[in-house]
Amino acid sequence: RPQSGGVVSDDTRKQKSFLCHMECLGMNIYVTTWRFIEVIVVLIIVGALVGVLVSTMSESDNTSQGEEDSSKEENKVPNEVSDPFKENEYIASSQLLTWNNHREIASGQNGDLASIHNNEENEFIADLTNGEDKYFVGGYRNENDLTQWLWSDGTDWDVTFSKWGPGQPDRQSQTKLVLGHNGKAEEWDDEDGSSLFKAIYRIPS
């Protein structure tokens, strides 16, 4: 209660009311209204800075993850591609070997030379070559009927589909199928199995 004759200004009442409110919250710090506003502004600025820092760190983590993924992609085994048709891997071997030698290597990995059954598969396998050299695949002539072609992995030869180059196959003595007729990777040609060419393997994952 004010002393007799004393006058309490409106500003004093407002300040006391504000200080009382602060005391009711268990705080023993007495500040003016303007000081309180300054503290609120500082807190807002600090909060904004923290938000920017968190956002920057998040972008940095995403960039690092992207670089790590790119690094993993670059470290994949060259010429080894996931088979989009089955759970296998295709491998383009750059070794110059006979058809039988290539098949032995593929068999040692529980695989075989690649077989081709449709245009999509043919284009996919042709893209694994360098576009210039010839590559053995699993096609071969039936010894009991040289007009018949078979696949070494035992899958059926689709007589309604082939990608022979113009005039091919042209010699029954050439009993193995290669990709790369006249430098066109997607076209088939017949060659002697004892010739030395590269090859496309299909290996189970």
Side-chain angles (χ1 to χ4, degrees), residues 15-91:
Q15 184 173 351
K16 285 184 176 181
S17 176
F18 174 73
L19 292 176
C20 178
H21 178 67
M22 298 296 289
E23 290 173 346
C24 291
L25 293 176
M27 298 182 64
N28 296 318
I29 300 175
Y30 297 87
V31 295
T32 65
T33 300
W34 287 110
R35 180 63 65 186
F36 178 75
I37 292 174
E38 290 176 356
V39 171
I40 294 300
V41 171
V42 170
L43 290 176
I44 291 174
I45 293 174
V46 171
L49 291 175
V50 170
V52 171
L53 180 60
V54 170
S55 177
T56 302
M57 292 177 64
S58 178
E59 291 178 359
S60 177
D61 289 342
N62 291 337
T63 301
S64 297
Q65 183 63 40
E67 292 175 350
E68 183 179 347
D69 292 342
S70 297
S71 178
K72 289 180 180 178
E73 190 70 23
E74 293 173 356
N75 290 332
K76 283 186 176 180
V77 178
N79 297 325
E80 185 170 339
V81 184
S82 295
D83 181 353
F85 311 101
K86 298 179 181 179
E87 294 299 323
N88 296 303
E89 301 288 335
Y90 282 118
I91 298 177

